[in-house]
Amino acid sequence: MTDTAENPLTAGLERLPVDPTTLTIFGATGDLARRKLLPALYNLAHDGALPERFNLIGIARSQSSHEDYQREAREAIEQFSRRRPDPAVLDALLDRVRYIPGSFGDDDAYDSLSAQLDEFDADNGGPLNRAFYLSTAPAFFPVIVEHLGEHGLAHRADCQVRVIIEKPFGTTGAEASELNRRVLAVFDEKQVFRIDHYLGKETVQNVLAFRFANGMFEPLWNRNYIDHVEITAAEEVGIGSRAGYYDSAGALRDLVQNHMLQLLCLLCMEPPVTFTADEVRDEKVKVLRAIRAPAPDETVRAQYTAGTVGGEDVRGYLEEEGVPPESQTETFASLRLEVDTWRWNGVPFYLRTGKRLARKVTEIAVILKPVPHLAFAKEGSLGVQPNQLILHVQPNEGVSLSLGAKIPGTRMVIRPVQMEFLYGTAFMSQSPEAYERLITDAMRGDATLFTRNDEVEAQWRIIDPVLGAWQRDDPPLAHYEAGSQGPPEADRLLEGDDRWRAI
Ligand SMILES: NC(=O)C1=CN([C@@H]2O[C@H](COP(=O)(O)OP(=O)(O)OC[C@H]3O[C@@H](n4cnc5c(N)ncnc54)[C@H](OP(=O)(O)O)[C@@H]3O)[C@@H](O)[C@H]2O)C=CC1
Ligand SMILES: O=C1O[C@H](COP(=O)(O)O)[C@@H](O)[C@H](O)[C@H]1O
């Protein structure tokens, strides 16, 4: 694979202009900053996609100096970057990094931040745009936002100020509304960029390209031709060292409320007139509003027990470090949803996600209705199956379509074959990480791939009743062996609609 910049098929496409910016990461020593944000910034620098005048400020609790933090950032980039770092690019990036030790609730930290921002402005010959990335535990989101407001850092007449907020955005609809209220008391909605990193994935954006750049699928894209849809986000990994967060979240909040509902929105939304932030998000909100919350018997929740994943014995969820021995938290969630619109009425959408499943796979499988009549002899048509269109989000990014084809020979015997588009071979390039795209878009002020306040609240409106029922043990928690296809209870949801595709 060639680098994007050197690839004739993609050259020149990455460099949309970004105004000079100072990016501040709150939680700069944390797991997300180290594994994703710093490497994304390096890769943007490598591609020449950062503004010429770009500076980075890290804030966290640890008492480090600028030099210590630059060293930590170098190590994180060397360990996690998708590319082997070029020393010259890395040195130039780190040279513009500063660190402020301090507590998020402490006014001194914001005074130091304000002074450092002014210093960067002065060094760069004038005011730079400011982006504040809240890569912290959610409890700090309102604290930081309010301190930014109190210290006069939320609005500036001479530059753009933006705030990027990590997930989870609330743990219930009520919390999300309250958080929106507190954030929007300080910032205007157009300054706010709520991250859902799935929207930064190339293959997720390709759902829109696939639907709205190809005329041939639109006539089929409705209840007349589509039988049902399966959306899977399966992971091999367990919860790692994130028990503190995960045990209070669970799979429904962690992946369904955000990433999976976003996939569903992109799949179901009506075409926007133009590809602008508010038009795209208006259409997504309409989809969310058309989904009624599922009844308890249209949901499955389950927890993994010990098993084998990728040939390695792994422990069960209750044995994971930091998980309370009685925990009822689900590590697998599955829902049956319907989108009550003219286009989709009666089409079931099945969602499933889980940790410690057989392999990592995220895909959208659109299963079309069977042909109305088979003219072929019975034995020849045994292999005829409804067409399946699979949007492979990860891995093996691409799209495949199953077709019935005649097996070569003297008899009319049919079996399914695959037509495939693979990103790797079609574009001969490695896709950028989601955070590369999202950080650039936020610095450019393009909110198309970020969730709006009403959107996030509409997502919770679907999830809240499920959480309520699950708290009442309805349905009871099921179990599945690590490394398996998930709990057998999930098959019950699909009754009459085939079987889940194998993970
Ligand atoms: N990690 C991941 O893979 C993902 C994380 N997210 C979200 O990103 C956010 C950050 O997650 P993650 O990086 O994992 O969290 P971590 O716990 O690893 O990092 C938290 C950061 O906040 C700092 N911090 C904590 N308390 C304070 C305080 N009182 N004052 C100042 N600094 C403080 C820590 O500083 P110090 O180390 O110096 O104590 C550290 O830099 C969360 O909202 C999470 O949900 C979203 C998707 C994936
Ligand atoms: O947001 C999250 O996503 C990851 C999965 O992301 P992916 O890009 O690897 O598909 C998940 O592991 C994590 O629990 C969740 O918080």
Side-chain angles (χ1 to χ4, degrees):
M1 304 246 179
T2 49
D3 272 1
T4 313
E6 296 151 13
N7 181 345
L9 291 169
T10 54
L13 294 181
E14 290 295 306
R15 299 189 187 175
L16 284 169
V18 185
D19 288 333
T21 301
T22 298
L23 175 69
T24 301
I25 301 180
F26 288 87
T29 54
D31 178 72
L32 184 71
R34 288 171 41 75
R35 282 193 309 109
K36 298 287 183 186
L37 307 184
L38 292 166
L41 289 169
Y42 167 76
N43 282 293
L44 290 171
H46 180 106
D47 284 342
L50 284 180
E52 205 176 310
R53 285 175 290 154
F54 172 81
N55 310 287
L56 177 65
I57 302 173
I59 303 192
R61 200 168 27 186
S62 309
Q63 289 300 321
S64 298
S65 62
H66 297 314
E67 293 73 22
D68 289 343
Y69 185 69
Q70 287 168 351
R71 209 170 305 116
E72 264 186 57
R74 181 187 295 278
E75 281 167 14
I77 292 167
E78 283 171 349
Q79 188 178 356
F80 296 113
S81 164
R82 67 185 168 90
R83 290 193 184 97
R84 184 200 294 262
D86 173 332
V89 177
L90 186 52
D91 287 349
L93 177 66
L94 293 176
D95 198 38
R96 290 173 286 165
V97 173
R98 299 289 178 273
Y99 180 77
I100 297 173
S103 170
F104 298 142
D106 189 346
D107 287 317
D108 293 348
Y110 298 84
D111 291 337
S112 306
L113 173 61
S114 186
Q116 183 62 64
L117 287 164
D118 290 344
E119 191 181 317
F120 274 138
D121 285 353
D123 288 352
N124 287 274
L128 309 181
N129 284 351
R130 295 172 179 189
F132 299 111
Y133 196 126
L134 311 195
S135 176
T136 71
F140 292 116
F141 297 162
V143 177
I144 296 170
V145 162
E146 283 160 8
H147 277 81
L148 289 171
E150 286 158 16
H151 286 257
L153 292 168
H155 298 272
R156 305 269 303 181
D158 50 6
C159 67
Q160 300 294 331
V161 182
R162 300 178 175 117
V163 62
I164 305 163
I165 303 183
E166 256 304 331
K167 61 161 282 213
F169 202 88
T171 63
T172 60
E175 265 189 32
S177 306
E178 174 61 9
L179 181 54
N180 272 329
R181 189 191 64 71
R182 290 176 73 175
V183 170
L184 297 176
V186 177
F187 289 96
D188 301 330
E189 176 62 32
K190 68 174 170 25
Q191 295 178 281
V192 183
F193 295 76
R194 296 174 192 79
I195 290 261
D196 184 312
H197 82 276
Y198 267 49
L199 293 175
K201 290 180 190 276
E202 288 291 323
T203 40
V204 172
Q205 293 160 46
N206 191 51
V207 175
L208 295 177
F210 178 84
R211 288 193 55 205
F212 302 137
N214 297 289
M216 68 185 285
F217 298 106
E218 174 57 20
L220 309 178
W221 212 254
N222 57 56
R223 63 192 301 276
N224 298 322
Y225 295 94
I226 293 180
D227 189 75
H228 65 280
V229 175
E230 295 176 18
I231 305 182
T232 299
E235 295 187 275
E236 264 185 44
V237 293
I239 55 154
S241 56
R242 295 173 73 204
Y245 155 73
Y246 196 88
D247 196 62
S248 61
L252 188 67
R253 288 188 177 99
D254 188 43
L255 252 119
V256 180
Q257 183 274 339
N258 35 66
H259 309 323
M260 299 197 82
L261 287 181
Q262 285 294 326
L263 293 179
L264 183 60
C265 285
L266 299 181
L267 198 71
C268 294
M269 65 188 259
E270 294 302 317
V273 177
T274 58
F275 198 65
T276 52
D278 274 332
E279 284 196 28
V280 169
R281 297 186 299 177
D282 285 347
E283 295 305 336
K284 287 198 289 169
V285 170
K286 284 186 208 161
V287 174
L288 293 166
R289 289 200 178 128
I291 299 172
R292 103 185 127 67
D297 65 355
E298 295 174 299
T299 71
V300 173
R301 62 188 185 115
Q303 199 180 69
Y304 62 80
T305 55
T308 308
V309 180
E312 198 185 311
D313 289 346
V314 297
R315 50 195 170 184
Y317 180 71
L318 294 182
E319 289 85 60
E320 298 280 17
E321 209 178 312
V323 172
E326 307 293 315
S327 172
Q328 290 280 297
T329 298
E330 80 286 355
T331 57
F332 177 100
S334 186
L335 309 181
R336 180 188 190 280
L337 298 175
E338 290 195 21
V339 181
D340 293 331
T341 60
W342 190 280
R343 188 189 281 268
W344 293 115
N345 193 272
V347 178
F349 290 84
Y350 300 102
L351 276 50
R352 69 175 161 169
T353 183
K355 301 267 185 209
R356 288 284 192 230
L357 291 169
R359 73 183 176 104
K360 175 149 180 102
V361 55
T362 307
E363 65 175 29
I364 302 170
V366 179
I367 291 91
L368 282 94
K369 294 204 163 158
V371 292
H373 170 67
L374 275 174
F376 314 110
K378 191 170 173 209
E379 64 152 359
S381 50
L382 286 178
V384 176
Q385 292 177 1
N387 301 111
Q388 293 195 3
L389 176 78
I390 317 294
L391 301 161
H392 302 275
V393 174
Q394 57 191 14
N396 306 325
E397 291 82 355
V399 179
S400 63
L401 176 63
S402 76
L403 302 170
K406 180 184 172 300
I407 299 178
T410 52
R411 296 183 326 159
M412 179 58 87
V413 179
I414 292 154
R415 54 159 266 208
V417 293
Q418 302 292 323
M419 268 176 70
E420 298 212 61
F421 147 64
L422 281 173
Y423 260 86
T425 45
F427 293 113
M428 296 190 306
S429 65
Q430 190 187 52
S431 292
E433 285 266 348
Y435 283 97
E436 294 172 36
R437 171 69 193 255
L438 295 174
I439 291 172
T440 322
D441 279 7
M443 289 196 296
R444 290 175 52 236
D446 182 348
T448 311
L449 300 178
F450 295 84
T451 37
R452 205 170 55 190
N453 55 349
D454 52 345
E455 196 175 351
V456 87
E457 290 181 30
Q459 289 173 328
W460 280 116
R461 192 192 49 75
I462 299 162
I463 298 302
D464 275 345
V466 181
L467 287 170
W470 289 7
Q471 271 153 19
R472 298 189 300 275
D473 207 27
D474 190 8
L477 184 70
H479 291 88
Y480 61 103
E481 199 178 313
S484 70
Q485 297 286 310
E489 284 79 354
D491 294 329
R492 174 178 51 78
L493 282 186
L494 259 80
E495 257 163 38
D497 273 328
D498 207 355
R499 300 172 64 83
W500 287 104
R501 279 170 53 81
I503 289 171

